[in-house]
Amino acid sequence: HFESSRLIILHKRRFNMSEDDAAVGTLCCCAYCGISEVDELKLNKCTDCDLVRYCSDECQENHASQNEVACKKRAAELRDELLFKQ
């Protein structure tokens, strides 16, 4: 989605990273509040798209409208990948 894409671009520019490395960097913090994953706090992936992670159900609910378009698109891509593998 837009926010994840924007974070990837910012990570790429700031740290001179490849797009894959930058995408991994965006997965280490909550997509809504930005809290980083630490030993005591494990972030949960969006179960539909795997594009973003959240520290709580509340953050996931608050971010749902921002993730909706990209989430649906990625979920469809993941379903298509599964179908083509069969």
Side-chain angles (χ1 to χ4, degrees):
H1 74 44
F2 174 74
E3 189 168 316
S4 291
S5 299
R6 188 178 63 142
L7 286 172
I8 291 169
I9 291 166
L10 291 173
H11 273 84
K12 281 174 59 178
R13 288 182 186 160
R14 184 171 180 196
F15 301 109
N16 196 23
M17 296 179 168
S18 71
E19 189 163 328
D20 290 339
D21 290 340
V24 168
T26 63
L27 292 177
C28 66
C29 62
C30 177
Y32 184 72
C33 71
I35 193 168
S36 295
E37 184 172 74
V38 293
D39 291 337
E40 307 85 44
L41 175 67
K42 297 294 181 192
L43 300 177
N44 299 312
K45 289 182 184 179
C46 174
T47 55
D48 293 327
C49 68
D50 291 337
L51 289 174
V52 293
R53 293 185 180 198
Y54 300 101
C55 65
S56 67
D57 291 339
E58 182 181 354
C59 279
Q60 186 168 3
E61 289 171 14
N62 289 333
H63 192 251
S65 63
Q66 295 171 334
N67 187 41
E68 184 176 10
V69 173
C71 182
K72 286 182 181 180
K73 180 180 176 188
R74 180 63 181 146
E77 290 169 356
L78 291 172
R79 281 191 302 273
D80 289 346
E81 287 175 17
L82 278 175
L83 288 173
F84 288 123
K85 286 182 182 179
Q86 294 180 356

